[in-house]
Amino acid sequence: MEHALSPATLAELRRPRPYPAVSVLTPTHRRERGSGQDPVRLRNALTEARRRLESDPAVTRERRADVEAQLDRALAEVDLTHAEDGLVIFAAPGEHQVWSLARTVPERVVLSDTFLTRNLVSAHAAERPFWVLSLSADRATLWSGGAGRVVEDHSGGFPLAHVREDFDAQRQMRVGDQPSTFRDEGTRHFLREADTAMGAVLRADPRPLYVTGEQAALSLMDEVGTGAARSAVRVRHGGLAHAGPDAVWQAVSPVLEAETRRNAASVVRELTAARGRRAYAAGVDELWQSARDGRVRLLAVEENYRTTVRETGDHLVPAESGDLDARDDIVDEIVERCLETGADVRFVPDGTLGEAHGIACVLRY
């Protein structure tokens, strides 16, 4: 199942497909908490997708058989034992994808000429993805992080290895001359290569970057790096270039928690200032219109804020899930629209926004 949504991947998902491009969305549960209902919901959603395919006169028999086969292949790839909060299946003639999301999604089946991507976009933004580059004298490892986990990533040719011809591990252990490995020209060249490779990764998929390593490695990267390393947050912790994901997560999580607190405080300050100069809006109805007009400069959303509405003329009014024309993922729609118009989207802990009740923004004008 897919987790990481890069700009290139999103562009590929959004391109037009031969009709029908089927999007199947269903909420899931982590571990044992309510997970017994997940297989039933998934089967029901796929049954509904097949029913829609069979009843649609615009879908030929051959194309229906192709898409149904893709749905079967997608189902075989679903691993509900490692489910998160939402599951999205895309199927079209000749292709399928399965996405696991760390944000809940509404139950939905959509047939169109494009895949429904707004829930992926919102989940990706809420996950606050980041990179971790772990350095040692002989290895540079890249980790993709977000939503309580890191996984090793092989973008940019990582992991990179540096083999020293005169390396003597036993002597190093006896005399403790590890710092000297960061003084030779080969190691300098190796870390410069790692910085260049990391720069290419950031250009393709910009995210906050955290660099881990012993102080000697971090200092040398500061000296030889020209781009990526200069804007990174340093985490003084050696051994992670050869470690597993759990160790990396334990090392960076305190830094991430502090960053979350600083981010929330910064958002509150910006919203307060915007209120004073009448550049503030809150609530999905007011925000939806501002998002459509491209007026939002900063959007703040509490992490678990969801609401269901329906459209009446130019306004959104509260609705119950399942009502005719109800829109269960209006928050995701607003997030996607704001990102498309260049807004800075920040997810903050629940309760941060106070009387704004979950969603607020700073307007451009």
Side-chain angles (χ1 to χ4, degrees):
M1 296 191 291
E2 303 285 346
H3 296 272
L5 183 68
S6 69
T9 301
L10 179 59
E12 166 61 21
L13 286 173
R14 283 177 163 170
R15 69 173 174 80
R17 259 74 180 177
Y19 187 84
V22 180
S23 303
V24 178
L25 291 73
T26 181
T28 53
H29 299 81
R30 296 172 186 258
R31 302 179 182 89
E32 298 302 319
R33 180 170 48 86
S35 59
Q37 63 187 289
D38 290 348
V40 176
R41 292 179 108 164
L42 178 56
R43 283 197 302 271
N44 290 343
L46 292 174
T47 298
E48 172 63 13
R50 293 186 177 93
R51 186 194 68 78
R52 298 270 295 274
L53 288 168
E54 291 173 1
S55 62
D56 191 334
V59 182
T60 65
R61 178 182 298 178
E62 292 78 14
R63 190 155 286 181
R64 182 176 72 243
D66 186 345
V67 176
E68 287 181 342
Q70 296 298 330
L71 289 171
D72 289 338
R73 294 187 184 105
L75 178 60
E77 294 176 11
V78 173
D79 180 7
L80 291 176
T81 60
H82 294 93
E84 296 178 277
D85 301 307
L87 183 70
V88 178
I89 292 176
F90 295 134
E95 62 173 321
H96 68 274
Q97 292 192 35
V98 179
W99 287 82
S100 178
L101 308 183
R103 183 170 169 83
T104 190
V105 299
E107 287 188 281
R108 179 171 295 174
V109 175
V110 177
L111 274 63
S112 183
D113 57 0
T114 59
F115 293 138
L116 183 67
T117 60
R118 62 172 168 258
N119 305 100
L120 266 70
V121 171
S122 182
H124 183 67
E127 192 174 49
R128 295 191 290 272
F130 57 90
W131 296 114
V132 179
L133 176 62
S134 295
L135 301 173
S136 70
D138 63 338
R139 185 177 173 88
T141 306
L142 179 64
W143 307 90
S144 175
R149 67 166 184 268
V150 295
V151 294
E152 188 172 356
D153 194 287
H154 300 291
S155 302
F158 286 99
L160 305 179
H162 170 49
V163 179
R164 298 180 66 225
E165 294 181 1
D166 60 345
F167 183 74
D168 184 343
Q170 291 185 344
R171 179 180 182 278
Q172 176 180 296
M173 292 177 64
R174 288 196 306 272
V175 302
D177 63 352
Q178 174 68 23
S180 67
T181 63
F182 294 101
R183 291 200 291 267
D184 67 66
E185 188 57 35
T187 303
R188 294 172 64 89
H189 180 72
F190 171 65
L191 292 187
R192 193 177 296 117
E193 284 185 338
D195 179 70
T196 300
M198 191 68 238
V201 171
L202 288 171
R203 285 191 294 274
D205 189 357
R207 306 182 191 179
L209 171 64
Y210 300 86
V211 179
T212 77
E214 296 180 7
Q215 184 57 52
L218 299 178
S219 298
L220 182 56
M221 179 60 98
D222 285 342
E223 182 182 336
V224 304
T226 58
R230 294 192 181 278
S231 60
V233 176
R234 307 315 194 263
V235 181
R236 186 174 175 178
H237 196 302
L240 299 180
H242 295 271
D246 289 344
V248 176
W249 174 253
Q250 291 299 321
V252 301
S253 58
V255 181
L256 296 171
E257 290 169 4
E259 193 71 22
T260 296
R261 291 191 294 270
R262 285 193 294 270
N263 173 65
S266 172
V267 166
V268 170
R269 286 194 298 271
E270 291 202 51
L271 291 172
T272 301
R275 190 190 290 266
R277 62 177 186 272
R278 300 183 182 278
Y280 171 88
V284 291
D285 183 35
E286 191 173 355
L287 268 169
W288 173 233
Q289 185 60 53
S290 297
R292 287 192 296 181
D293 294 341
R295 296 181 59 206
V296 178
R297 181 179 68 78
L298 167 67
L299 176 70
V301 186
E302 292 185 355
E303 290 170 344
N304 293 300
Y305 176 64
R306 315 289 293 185
T307 189
T308 300
V309 299
R310 54 185 173 83
E311 194 169 359
T312 59
D314 293 330
H315 293 280
L316 302 176
V317 298
E320 296 294 329
S321 184
D323 285 356
L324 184 65
D325 298 328
R327 297 161 75 167
D328 296 289
D329 55 356
I330 187 64
V331 175
D332 289 358
E333 289 189 49
I334 292 172
V335 167
E336 182 182 49
R337 182 60 180 161
C338 287
L339 287 169
E340 288 175 345
T341 55
D344 181 11
V345 176
R346 311 266 195 96
F347 281 82
V348 295
D350 294 347
T352 299
L353 303 182
E355 64 184 30
H357 301 298
I359 189 166
C361 77
V362 177
L363 298 172
R364 291 191 170 103
Y365 56 90

